[in-house]
Amino acid sequence: MTKRIALLGMPNTGKSTLFNRLTGASARVGNWPGVTVDLLSAKILVGGDMVEVIDLPGIYDLHGYSDDEKVVRHFLEQQPLDLLVVPVNALQLDRHLVLPVQLAELGLPVLVLVNMMDEAKTMGLRIDSKALSAGLGLPVVAISAKYGLGQPEMLAALQFALKTSQGMAAGATSGARQRLVEDDSVEDKVAALTKAAVDVPVQLPERFTDKLDKVLMHNVFGLPLFFAAMFCVFAGVFWLGTPLQDGMKWLFDQISEHALMPLLAGTPELLKGFLVEGLYGGLSTVAAFVPVIVLFFFFMAVVEDSGYLSRAAYLMDALMVRMGLDGRSFVMLLMGFGCNVPAIMGTRVMRSRALRLLSMLVIPFSLCSARLQVFLFILGALFAPAVAPWVLMSLYLMSFATAFITALLLRKDKHFRSDEPFVIELPPYRLPTLRQVWMRGWLEVRHFLGRATKIIVAGVVLVWVLTHLPAGVEPASADSYAGMVGHWMQPVLGPLGIDEKLTIALIFGFVAKEVVIGALAVIYGLEGDALSQHIAGSLNVLQAYSFMLFCLIYTPCLSTIATIRAESRSIGFATLAVVWPLALAWAVSFVFYQVASRLVGV
Amino acid sequence: MTTRLTALEPGQNAAITAIHAAEALHHRLNALGLRVGKQIQVLRQAAFRGPLHVRVGNTDIIIRRSDAACIELRAA
């Protein structure tokens, strides 16, 4: 029978890194307290036995009040387990030992891992794990999950603990909340343990983090530096990604010209059109953006793991609180730049429902990587390379602006007003290892491709069908099904400068923004450079910008909506999260296009 | 004489004498190491009356001023 172990630990103990180290799979490794919100699990071999490892959300103790703490309590009450693996931060044993002591008092099978020994060593801390083990009455191993130190010892201890474990039935922790109310004895025990097992140097060296904080958390320079850093990330992705993207386009053109066309020479015209212009054209146009997405996720992995986002929360809280949000909402907005879905799930660390709902309502305005590829395509087609990054920057600013306007308008509403405290831990700066960045980036890319293959294939096929049927019509003309829909929508979208063909792309973008460019490729029956040139010829700059604004603001994608619905457990709220952005998108694009075209005199 | 955490200047430290918070916040503060008797140091305060950056033991914490006001300290 498969044995099961769960990783249970406080935020900032390197739990996710440990999970990656153990399983080789990749959980999200955020240097941000409480970032692991999904229950990730993986199967590994320990001493010849199959063992399922489950990564639980970071919690402070077994009787806290946040959603994450409830998730963990429910999990422990309902699932039978063979072992709890509890990582603790070597530098903060005075706090982190509370959890193992509580678990030991409940008589549960526990293996304690003193993690981040590399950082403890740098600080000159010496930890006697034998003394700790004796004091706790639990096995203790000192490790560094990040660098793999102590891994053989950890695996041996794991194997031994699993062999000797009597297991814990589901419900072993029930009533823990009542049984653990007497906290003072735990506190005394932890203090005694720390004193016996930890040797702290008289003079702690000034940490690198403290020096860096003096600059990056500076009252005047902090925010400009932060925005400069974010700009560098986005500009870096743009500059590095463009040549890669061109290379991909060239490659796909070559394949189409030299392999696909000769291969399909004898097939009927309609089928050939479907395969080449529909499926291949749509897919290859989207695939050309994969290198940019990969780069973006690698950059974001570095930023997220560095600990800089917590500083951003500190710098931004004074502003965010005036909008009814807090510093964490700002960080979730930033996470949303990768993908809105994990950012929305990340709001689980908030205890107040009102604050969570408001955060969930503003996160979809974050310019996610799927929207980024739409913008990169249009920017590449219509804007000079010198101007393009600034136009992109303006879209990022617009993304913040719409989020802030939404929060400002709704913060006084009784459903969104909260008095949630803002108290969060500030981890030291960490440079993730290449391995961490690679695993994190790879996981995201895999997710992206997984979604891409399903939704995009379905999307482009549907677009092709709608634009090429009824049989015999001029593709995407007014007589095709898509043309009819586009025509029917014209009274609404025409004043925004969005023509019938773009309307069809927008409709499909509702499913996922990844489909928009693929849809354009199918609608125009062109791909790569030819598509760029055609779009450059058929749109003016104002229409393109209006289209991008609409794309940025309106309903993010079906996955985001589904996540909002699941997290809020409210259909009404999910409906608001669809209708409000749609209305705002229309209003913003309308005002922009009408005002700008009058000013320019088009 | 007692004072509040919000009254501390950056660089100053003092011992916590009481925490006047609702149960959930009290709990969270305890979990982060803010307990009666512990020494707390203010490192900096964000602009526009933003949060405080404080240190207790080896743990750095950012705490909004309104939440910091519930922490009572022994005046130096």
Side-chain angles (χ1 to χ4, degrees):
Chain A
M1 205 191 102
T2 307
K3 297 202 165 179
R4 290 169 98 185
I5 60 181
L7 302 188
L8 184 67
M10 289 198 190
N12 196 28
T13 50
K15 199 166 54 60
S16 301
T17 312
L18 174 66
F19 181 79
N20 289 346
R21 181 58 71 179
L22 269 176
T23 63
S26 190
R28 289 174 64 83
V29 203
N31 190 358
W32 169 258
V35 82
T36 318
V37 286
D38 248 347
L39 293 189
L40 288 164
S41 75
K43 289 200 165 115
I44 58 166
L45 274 175
V46 179
D49 289 328
M50 190 62 95
V51 177
E52 188 183 15
V53 186
I54 299 139
D55 189 20
L56 294 175
I59 60 164
Y60 285 103
D61 56 32
L62 284 177
H63 48 121
Y65 297 85
S66 75
D67 278 6
D68 273 349
E69 276 151 350
K70 277 178 211 147
V71 166
V72 171
R73 258 204 313 275
H74 285 158
F75 181 86
L76 293 178
E77 276 163 19
Q78 283 154 15
Q79 305 290 328
L81 285 170
D82 294 288
L83 184 66
L84 288 167
V85 173
V86 183
V88 290
N89 183 340
L91 286 85
Q92 301 178 340
L93 287 179
D94 54 332
R95 290 198 299 115
H96 287 191
L97 284 177
V98 170
L99 196 56
V101 167
Q102 286 182 345
L103 295 167
E105 279 184 0
L106 294 170
L108 303 175
V110 175
L111 168 63
V112 179
L113 298 175
V114 180
N115 194 11
M116 305 190 178
M117 286 305 289
D118 53 312
E119 289 183 14
K121 213 170 165 187
T122 316
M123 292 284 281
L125 240 62
R126 274 205 303 274
I127 292 159
D128 182 350
S129 39
K130 285 214 179 70
L132 262 186
S133 176
L136 282 166
L138 301 169
V140 176
V141 183
I143 61 160
S144 160
K146 185 171 173 183
Y147 296 103
L149 301 174
Q151 193 162 8
E153 293 84 351
M154 171 174 75
L155 289 175
L158 203 57
Q159 195 179 343
F160 184 76
L162 276 173
K163 202 173 282 171
T164 52
S165 163
Q166 307 292 311
M168 50 184 279
T173 56
S174 61
R177 211 165 169 171
Q178 285 72 42
R179 280 192 275 160
L180 288 171
V181 277
E182 197 51 66
D183 249 348
D184 286 347
S185 68
V186 172
E187 189 59 19
D188 291 345
K189 187 160 186 194
V190 168
L193 272 171
T194 319
K195 206 173 167 202
V198 185
D199 183 19
V200 188
V202 186
Q203 180 82 53
L204 285 175
E206 194 192 10
R207 299 184 307 166
F208 171 67
T209 291
D210 293 335
K211 292 181 199 160
L212 207 52
D213 274 342
K214 277 183 189 150
V215 182
L216 295 182
M217 292 173 81
H218 191 276
N219 276 354
V220 179
F221 306 122
L223 272 183
L225 279 173
F226 177 73
F227 284 110
M230 291 315 283
F231 180 76
C232 285
V233 168
F234 298 129
V237 169
F238 195 79
W239 294 123
L240 286 173
T242 313
L244 286 172
Q245 205 180 315
D246 291 342
M248 292 288 275
K249 269 190 217 158
W250 179 85
L251 189 69
F252 283 116
D253 286 347
Q254 294 298 309
I255 294 174
S256 165
E257 196 178 322
H258 297 294
L260 210 55
M261 294 306 263
L263 200 68
L264 295 170
T267 48
E269 205 55 35
L270 195 67
L271 179 65
K272 195 167 108 182
F274 171 71
L275 290 175
V276 177
E277 285 156 27
L279 212 49
Y280 186 80
L283 280 183
S284 64
T285 308
V286 178
F289 289 91
V290 170
V292 181
I293 305 298
V294 173
L295 273 177
F296 182 83
F297 280 127
F298 284 153
F299 273 84
M300 279 311 275
V302 176
V303 174
E304 263 180 45
D305 291 357
S306 70
Y308 196 14
L309 292 181
S310 304
R311 274 78 188 175
Y314 164 87
L315 292 167
M316 289 298 289
D317 188 63
L319 179 63
M320 299 305 282
V321 73
R322 287 169 174 80
M323 289 183 277
L325 296 163
D326 74 13
R328 286 173 302 180
S329 320
F330 179 74
V331 169
M332 295 305 162
L333 270 177
L334 284 181
M335 304 262 285
F337 284 146
C339 176
N340 293 174
V341 172
I344 285 165
M345 296 200 292
T347 60
R348 280 184 202 168
V349 294
M350 296 167 181
R351 197 176 47 81
S352 130
R353 180 168 166 84
L355 181 63
R356 267 199 81 186
L357 289 183
L358 192 56
S359 299
M360 283 198 269
L361 202 59
V362 300
I363 286 167
F365 292 113
S366 281
L367 196 165
C368 67
S369 57
R371 274 169 269 189
L372 179 65
Q373 54 164 296
V374 177
F375 300 155
L376 289 179
F377 182 82
I378 292 180
L379 289 171
L382 273 132
F383 294 84
V387 194
W390 295 103
V391 179
L392 186 60
M393 187 74 180
S394 78
L395 288 166
Y396 276 111
L397 291 178
M398 201 60 211
S399 161
F400 281 120
T402 45
F404 291 170
I405 287 166
T406 301
L408 274 176
L409 287 175
L410 292 174
R411 81 198 148 117
K412 289 278 166 62
D413 186 276
K414 67 175 172 10
H415 297 99
F416 301 112
R417 204 172 42 215
S418 81
D419 53 355
E420 167 112 346
F422 180 70
V423 186
I424 60 173
E425 203 182 328
L426 203 57
Y429 291 103
R430 298 191 175 108
L431 196 61
T433 59
L434 276 179
R435 185 177 180 274
Q436 283 175 313
V437 175
W438 170 253
M439 289 181 90
R440 170 68 206 288
W442 172 234
L443 177 86
E444 298 285 1
V445 170
R446 224 173 40 194
H447 269 303
F448 174 79
L449 289 179
R451 240 177 342 142
T453 41
K454 277 185 225 128
I455 296 178
I456 297 176
V457 168
V460 294
V461 167
L462 196 61
V463 177
W464 191 88
V465 168
L466 288 179
T467 48
H468 288 70
L469 296 178
V473 297
E474 173 88 354
S477 66
D479 300 327
S480 67
Y481 291 133
M484 293 179 210
V485 176
H487 183 72
W488 180 70
M489 298 282 286
Q490 261 314 288
V492 184
L493 292 177
L496 279 54
I498 294 172
D499 68 14
E500 291 167 10
K501 290 184 178 181
L502 291 179
T503 302
I504 302 161
L506 281 181
I507 293 171
F508 288 102
F510 183 87
V511 178
K513 292 293 176 293
E514 286 93 336
V515 183
V516 171
I517 294 300
L520 285 175
V522 177
I523 292 164
Y524 289 111
L526 297 165
E527 58 190 275
D529 288 340
L531 178 60
S532 304
Q533 279 159 19
H534 185 85
I535 288 184
S538 62
L539 284 185
N540 66 39
V541 171
L542 295 184
Q543 285 172 318
Y545 196 76
S546 178
F547 176 75
M548 289 197 286
L549 279 177
F550 198 90
C551 233
L552 168 67
I553 305 167
Y554 87 124
T555 319
C557 66
L558 277 185
S559 324
T560 301
I561 298 299
T563 310
I564 289 177
R565 156 85 187 85
E567 295 292 319
S568 67
R569 295 185 294 274
S570 158
I571 293 176
F573 178 74
T575 311
L576 176 68
V578 175
V579 173
W580 165 246
L582 211 53
L584 189 62
W586 191 87
V588 169
S589 291
F590 179 79
V591 170
F592 167 79
Y593 189 70
Q594 292 300 326
V595 171
S597 45
R598 283 207 184 123
L599 285 178
V600 180
V602 175
Chain B
M1 262 303 279
T2 60
T3 179
R4 294 288 161 133
L5 179 54
T6 41
L8 234 54
E9 295 289 324
Q12 289 184 324
N13 58 27
I16 299 175
T17 52
I19 295 175
H20 308 279
E23 197 186 354
L25 176 59
H26 198 286
H27 198 82
R28 173 57 49 89
L29 292 173
N30 277 348
L32 284 166
L34 288 115
R35 288 168 183 273
V36 173
K38 290 276 174 83
Q39 282 284 322
I40 188 166
Q41 185 188 8
V42 174
L43 297 181
R44 55 176 60 84
Q45 189 197 333
F48 307 111
R49 295 178 70 78
L52 301 171
H53 176 187
V54 300
R55 181 170 293 168
V56 180
N58 250 332
T59 307
D60 281 21
I61 293 157
I62 48 185
I63 179 166
R64 196 180 275 164
R65 286 184 66 88
S66 53
D67 300 318
C70 72
I71 296 170
E72 201 178 282
L73 310 170
R74 187 176 304 125

